[in-house]
Amino acid sequence: MTAYPGLDLLSTAVLLLDESLQVTYANPAAETLFAQGRTHLVGIPFDRALPGNDEFVERLARAIDSETGFNDNDLLLEVEGYPAHLHCVISPIEAAGEARLVLEFRELEQQLKIARETKILEQQQANRELIRNLAHEIKNPLGGIRGAAQLLERELSDPGHREFTQVIVKETDRLQSLMNRLLTPSRLPRVEALNVHEVIERVRTLLLAEFPRELTIRRDYDTSLPDLEGDKEQLIQAILNVARNAAQAAGRRGEVRLVTRIARQVTIARRRFRHAIAVCIEDDGPGVPADLADRIFYPLVSGREGGTGLGLSLAQSYVSQHHGLIEFDSVPGRTRFTILLPLRERTQ
Ligand SMILES: Nc1ncnc2c1ncn2[C@@H]1O[C@H](COP(=O)(O)OP(=O)(O)OP(=O)(O)O)[C@@H](O)[C@H]1O
Ligand SMILES: [Mg+2]
């Protein structure tokens, strides 16, 4: 392998590829970014070193054929099953041994992303507090209204008027159950060691029961994942809420994929974790509506007919009780929600 000492010092990740898209060189920044040792990158075709990026590989092949490079300010690459947002500059080169293409990558505004997540989490905390207080205040008088309507019903001489008291009872019941849902995430997690696949399999069973015959669920699990410390019921509920949205978005004959991977060097709300479990829920539906994208984790935000807009807000609060985070990226035909659950470091 040719050595390029100058490139070793760069903070930008650099890969060199030969004519057949095989990696001939990777600098240390590339090893860090792609979480692989140099020996796992060099000498390996790019599509095997970083599988799951077929579209990008096609763009690389075109760049070699046409001898024209390209830039991408918003590149989404799959790195070990986990999405990485990157800025890249791809340039063809001549006369540099066997190398034909230089690939430069930078992580996209890592700092900005961290700050944004922290802000989102803080804002959500404040929102939840407000909504909980409000829900309490609304819930209290509901019992009185319902009781009074029932008393009134007994006094009514004209049975035709019962229809109206029954509307009052039915609507207070509906409000009551909405308020109960708003008030649920108050209990502290009951933590135990658990296998994330058991949790996901449970979700799969529930989903298949809810969407019989119309939904395909594919699984791609990394079975070597270690156990997780967590609250089983809360995690089932969190993943179910996300997966249910995916199933609803996928619609008839749609497909939902459940994927698990290990994620490395994850920062959530300024805390850095060496490892986290990434649970990805993907669907082939129309994607998250652009005008909602910034707000879908807020309570009562819904783009779905008949939706209460609580599913994701509850899921996010369960996951943040586990020091984790839910994020998503979405284009029509491919939406992926990633639930990151940090692993406690084992002391050896
Ligand atoms: N996989 C997805 N594809 C497209 N849009 C989605 C997806 N997941 C969520 N959304 C959008 O985000 C909105 C908020 O989701 P959330 O689960 O919080 O509420 P909801 O599904 O509308 O109601 P609820 O879950 O309380 O019954 C959805 O209404 C939908 O517009
Ligand atoms: Mg939902």
Side-chain angles (χ1 to χ4, degrees):
M1 188 194 75
T2 330
Y4 300 92
L7 297 181
D8 278 4
L9 302 171
L10 290 181
S11 66
T12 303
V14 179
L15 296 179
L16 298 183
L17 306 189
D18 70 8
E19 181 123 36
S20 61
L21 296 182
Q22 182 158 311
V23 181
T24 60
Y25 169 82
N27 75 345
E31 291 167 27
T32 312
L33 177 62
F34 299 123
Q36 314 221 11
R38 194 185 296 228
T39 47
H40 294 278
L41 287 171
V42 176
I44 296 179
F46 185 88
D47 59 350
R48 283 232 319 274
L50 288 169
N53 298 299
D54 296 351
E55 199 188 312
F56 184 66
V57 171
E58 270 170 37
R59 291 170 75 189
L60 293 179
R62 278 201 299 274
I64 287 197
D65 287 347
S66 61
E67 290 179 15
T68 12
F70 63 89
N71 295 1
D72 194 334
N73 285 321
D74 190 17
L75 176 69
L76 196 66
L77 276 195
E78 183 167 320
V79 179
E80 302 214 296
Y82 181 68
H85 276 110
L86 303 171
H87 166 67
C88 76
V89 180
I90 310 301
S91 337
I93 38 166
E94 275 174 38
E98 63 217 312
R100 300 299 300 276
L101 217 51
V102 185
L103 279 53
E104 298 168 62
F105 300 96
R106 258 184 185 285
E107 272 194 275
L108 208 68
E109 302 171 36
Q110 187 69 8
Q111 281 318 106
L112 235 164
K113 200 172 158 212
I114 293 165
R116 201 182 63 217
E117 283 165 7
T118 313
K119 202 165 148 250
I120 287 176
L121 291 176
E122 282 168 2
Q123 207 165 15
Q124 278 177 358
Q125 188 78 31
N127 270 346
R128 269 200 299 276
E129 202 83 344
L130 178 78
I131 293 226
R132 284 180 58 76
N133 291 339
L134 199 63
H136 258 297
E137 292 306 310
I138 295 176
K139 213 181 141 180
N140 287 337
L142 285 180
I145 296 174
R146 191 182 199 280
Q150 281 174 324
L151 285 176
L152 194 62
E153 190 169 295
R154 270 186 238 150
E155 301 299 318
L156 290 176
S157 46
D158 180 355
H161 288 153
R162 291 223 176 111
E163 199 185 308
F164 303 120
T165 50
Q166 267 156 23
V167 168
I168 300 176
V169 171
K170 227 175 82 207
E171 292 301 294
T172 44
D173 284 350
R174 203 163 64 82
L175 265 183
Q176 189 102 35
S177 82
L178 176 64
M179 294 307 121
N180 285 342
R181 282 192 71 196
L182 282 170
L183 286 166
T184 27
S186 57
R187 85 172 166 82
L188 287 172
R190 279 195 281 273
V191 176
E192 56 180 324
L194 50 89
N195 180 309
V196 74
H197 298 118
E198 259 176 51
V199 171
I200 300 175
E201 281 297 290
R202 187 64 198 290
V203 169
R204 195 175 76 95
T205 314
L206 292 167
L207 217 56
L208 285 172
E210 197 174 326
F211 300 86
R213 288 196 300 277
E214 50 189 270
L215 185 68
T216 311
I217 302 183
R218 294 200 191 287
R219 288 173 285 180
D220 177 0
Y221 296 161
D222 176 351
T223 46
S224 68
L225 290 180
D227 276 358
L228 181 76
E229 299 271 306
D231 183 310
K232 199 169 184 176
E233 289 309 313
Q234 288 192 352
L235 288 180
I236 290 174
Q237 195 60 55
I239 298 173
L240 180 64
N241 286 1
V242 176
R244 187 183 276 140
N245 285 345
Q248 283 159 347
R252 276 194 159 272
R253 273 191 261 280
E255 185 176 299
V256 170
R257 260 163 49 87
L258 304 171
V259 183
T260 58
R261 290 288 184 270
I262 193 83
R264 295 189 170 81
Q265 307 296 355
V266 175
T267 307
I268 297 168
R270 290 202 200 96
R271 271 180 77 180
R272 199 167 174 86
F273 299 93
R274 205 177 297 168
H275 292 110
I277 288 181
V279 179
C280 305
I281 294 128
E282 302 171 355
D283 69 73
D284 55 0
V288 174
D291 57 331
L292 287 186
D294 289 341
R295 297 180 289 132
I296 53 171
F297 289 105
Y298 291 141
L300 307 177
V301 171
S302 175
R304 198 164 56 75
E305 184 111 1
T308 48
L310 287 177
L312 286 179
S313 132
L314 284 176
Q316 186 73 277
S317 56
Y318 289 140
V319 169
S320 70
Q321 295 215 41
H322 289 79
H323 310 290
L325 181 80
I326 308 180
E327 47 186 19
F328 76 97
D329 51 86
S330 177
V331 287
R334 188 189 145 283
T335 297
R336 165 155 55 183
F337 279 75
T338 303
I339 303 178
L340 285 171
L341 298 164
L343 290 167
R344 263 230 306 258
E345 295 306 328
R346 228 165 296 166
T347 41
Q348 282 162 350

